[in-house]
Amino acid sequence: MSVTIRRLAETDIPLVAALEAETFPDPWTAKMFVEELSQASRAWFVAEDDGLVVGYGGTAILADDDAHIMNLAVAPAHRSQGIGRRLLDTLMRAASELGAQRVTLEVRAENPVATALYESVGLESVGIRPEYYGPGRDAIIMWGDLPDAERRPVADDSGELILAIESSCDETAAAVMRGGRDLLANVVASQIDFHARFGGVVPEIASRKHTEAIVGVVDEAMEQAGEALRLDGPLSFSELDAIAVTDRPGLIGALVVGVAYAKGLAMATGKPLVGVNHLEGHIFANVFADPAVKPPLVALLVSGGHTSLVHMPEWGVYRTLGETLDDAAGEAFDKVAKVLGLGYPGGPILSKLAEKGDPAAINFPRAMMKSGDYAFSLSGLKTAVLTHIRHEEQAGREIDVPDLAASFQQAVIDVQVAKAVRAVEETGAVAFCLGGGVAANHALREALTAAIEPLGVHVSVPPMSLCTDNAAMIAAAAHYRYVHGERLGLDAEPSARGPLDTL
Ligand code: KG4
Ligand code: ZN
């Protein structure tokens, strides 16, 4: 007999539903299985014997980040052959790979065979849910650790432990990472609310807020790392291999706070200091999140502070192809939103409004689209929007805000896409990645993917939490610098400017 365990496919569902109806008095319907398959953070498997489905099971990672075993059943004629155990092992491994560390389930109180199976993998009964399966039929609640998750950070102790600090703009952030891949802690304290009423980042406020937040943010990261490593308390600074910090480019008064703090820590602990260029961090957010991101690659970095196209022909080598000559893309979104009285930050507000507007309603200029180089200019577009508003007001017409938002956004996107495609083609890149706050713009993500993927180039957009400023990306970039022996002297000063090319 050769029973194999494989992922549940939609075509298995009729057989699985039939087996379910045979096994349980209150069976799941076929529709419920279909719905499970369409959701993220689920893993369903079947046991197959000679093309026949003889067992199945599924797990879900719910909002609490714990794995819930949703269902597990083996056909009567196939019981007592270890199939249930194999399915259970597979589910627990899958749950661990999905990031869960603990597992829970309910089992019928009158099913001692199943209870024994769960106990054999370390689950314990912690309570009863009375009448969970109907009148007179209680459920036993069981909980346990996922063995892989418990071992993972400890087993993988080959990589170095880096604490990274980021304070270049309006987020105070700290992260702890092992070996450039294993993110043990990631803390971001945003100051956005303090800047919102001024319609943009106020440098003096940023410095002050960084100073207030940095100790708490770093302590919280060390706490999180201690939990991830299953230590009794926070990770101690003496366990670190290095301290990394964003030292350029950004608001100088903001950078100073992170750099001074990191230097102080390095001095007190005798640990080496690693300096990271913020833009390199945005590229490494992609490297960290998507292993398919490899050089030669092109990155488009678009945020409130930067708009640049960067070529990375090989690891650690950068050439800035072009930058904005005036406003950054996010800044343009923010300024247009401010003129319309919509609030700050403008990007998310305008892109939401744009969904309901017509991108072809107003023909705004596509500055430098055909300039033959990689430079951007966005201040003309902002002026064109202002002129349009004034013109409409003078003519006594009401402004269609969704149309204006959609047309403005399209003008930005068209130029970005045209230049990105050209950069990919001219450099022969195999991967393209996007970084910075404006990478949250769905229309931009879709337009870039639609234009670049057909060229056979891998397109990567990191999850939102890694698009906006964070220290996980700084830690990932620092790993690369650290293993290549690059260190920052304790006399180093941060710099407001700092193209990647000088690294
Ligand atoms: O990277 P980030 O968090 O901070 C800087 O380094 O600037 O980027 C913030 C910028 C803001 O200008 C914001 O308006 C813009 O990103 N942004 C967006 C969207 N979400 C954020 N721009 C366009 N569309 C969006 N959905
Ligand atoms: Zn940034």
Side-chain angles (χ1 to χ4, degrees):
M1 186 196 75
S2 67
V3 174
T4 52
I5 311 277
R6 61 166 174 79
R7 292 259 172 193
L8 170 72
E10 191 140 4
T11 46
D12 296 319
I13 289 179
L15 278 175
V16 166
L19 191 50
E20 168 88 5
E22 215 178 289
T23 315
F24 299 118
D26 50 351
W28 284 35
T29 60
K31 190 159 161 276
M32 288 161 84
F33 285 106
V34 173
E35 274 168 15
E36 276 295 299
L37 276 191
S38 69
Q39 295 192 52
S41 294
R42 299 288 197 275
W44 283 82
F45 296 88
V46 293
E48 190 183 69
D49 184 13
D50 261 351
L52 193 70
V53 171
V54 299
Y56 56 90
T59 183
I61 315 300
L62 300 184
D64 50 13
D65 284 341
D66 294 318
H68 293 241
I69 304 272
M70 311 291 278
N71 205 330
L72 181 65
V74 177
H78 288 77
R79 292 191 187 148
S80 308
Q81 295 169 14
I83 297 172
R85 174 65 194 256
R86 284 178 60 194
L87 275 167
L88 182 58
D89 284 342
T90 307
L91 291 176
M92 289 176 68
R93 219 173 25 248
S96 174
E97 278 165 19
L98 285 169
Q101 301 199 329
R102 309 240 310 137
V103 59
T104 183
L105 55 82
E106 279 97 16
V107 58
R108 286 166 175 74
E110 71 271 22
N111 191 345
V113 177
T115 311
L117 168 65
Y118 297 133
E119 282 170 350
S120 75
V121 295
L123 274 69
E124 285 171 22
S125 308
V126 297
I128 297 280
R129 268 191 227 293
E131 317 227 304
Y132 183 75
Y133 295 109
R137 296 212 309 272
D138 297 346
I140 300 174
I141 308 163
M142 302 188 80
W143 273 96
D145 288 331
L146 289 167
D148 278 344
E150 191 177 29
R151 266 199 317 268
R152 196 180 54 123
V154 185
D156 179 24
D157 60 0
S158 50
E160 81 295 337
L161 275 173
I162 293 185
L163 164 69
I165 296 170
E166 151 70 38
S167 72
S168 66
C169 187
D170 60 347
E171 332 272 0
T172 319
V176 179
M177 192 176 275
R178 168 123 71 188
R181 280 257 165 249
D182 205 358
L183 184 60
L184 303 176
N186 189 23
V187 181
V188 181
S190 178
Q191 313 172 348
I192 222 157
D193 294 345
F194 299 102
H195 299 288
R197 64 198 146 115
F198 302 103
V201 176
V202 184
E204 291 76 12
I205 295 181
S207 312
R208 181 148 44 84
K209 292 290 160 196
H210 284 305
T211 310
E212 287 168 15
I214 195 154
V215 176
V217 166
V218 170
D219 284 352
E220 171 66 21
M222 299 303 275
E223 286 275 352
Q224 279 188 12
E227 272 170 40
L229 292 166
R230 310 223 158 194
L231 307 176
D232 288 335
L235 179 65
S236 91
F237 293 119
S238 63
E239 308 272 345
L240 294 170
D241 292 292
I243 293 154
V245 64
T246 305
D247 68 340
R248 66 199 58 219
L251 300 170
I252 190 71
L255 286 163
V256 158
V257 178
V259 170
Y261 190 80
K263 276 195 210 170
L265 269 181
M267 223 175 284
T269 57
K271 304 291 175 187
L273 196 60
V274 179
V276 173
N277 182 303
H278 182 82
L279 298 177
E280 185 177 33
H282 276 302
I283 296 175
F284 269 79
N286 289 274
V287 174
F288 166 65
D290 180 352
V293 173
K294 293 189 185 78
L297 65 76
V298 165
L300 174 63
L301 306 174
V302 273
S303 76
H306 15 87
T307 297
S308 35
L309 265 170
V310 177
H311 178 214
M312 179 170 121
E314 52 189 279
W315 291 115
V317 179
Y318 302 96
R319 186 164 58 99
T320 302
L321 298 170
E323 286 177 293
T324 180
L325 303 173
D326 37 59
D327 292 348
E331 197 178 355
F333 274 88
D334 295 339
K335 286 181 175 170
V336 168
K338 192 174 181 177
V339 169
L340 292 167
L342 296 173
Y344 173 84
I349 305 168
L350 282 177
S351 59
K352 190 101 201 80
L353 285 164
E355 285 169 18
K356 287 177 257 139
D358 173 9
I362 309 156
N363 188 19
F364 286 127
R366 268 75 172 151
M368 311 193 65
M369 186 139 124
K370 302 204 167 74
S371 61
D373 60 15
Y374 297 108
F376 299 89
S377 169
L378 285 129
S379 72
L381 174 57
K382 177 192 64 195
T383 311
V385 172
L386 279 178
T387 310
H388 172 83
I389 294 170
R390 221 163 284 140
H391 195 259
E392 294 295 292
E393 278 169 358
Q394 274 163 9
R397 282 189 293 262
E398 199 160 321
I399 291 158
D400 186 319
V401 178
D403 276 357
L404 182 117
S407 302
F408 159 77
Q409 176 175 278
Q410 197 58 48
V412 175
I413 291 175
D414 283 353
V415 181
Q416 309 266 330
V417 170
K419 304 235 172 191
V421 164
R422 220 181 122 221
V424 163
E425 283 177 335
E426 280 194 358
T427 60
V430 300
F432 172 82
C433 55
L434 188 59
V438 185
N441 188 293
H442 286 290
L444 176 64
R445 291 156 89 117
E446 279 160 25
L448 285 165
T449 307
I452 295 172
E453 258 180 12
L455 306 173
V457 172
H458 178 77
V459 176
S460 163
V461 183
M464 257 327 295
S465 59
L466 295 177
C467 284
T468 48
D469 290 348
N470 64 86
M473 69 184 196
I474 303 303
H479 162 73
Y480 181 84
R481 306 251 142 233
Y482 175 83
V483 298
H484 286 84
E486 289 179 32
R487 304 290 181 261
L488 197 65
L490 287 176
D491 56 347
E493 296 293 342
S495 161
R497 316 197 112 261
L500 272 169
D501 313 56
T502 59
L503 270 173

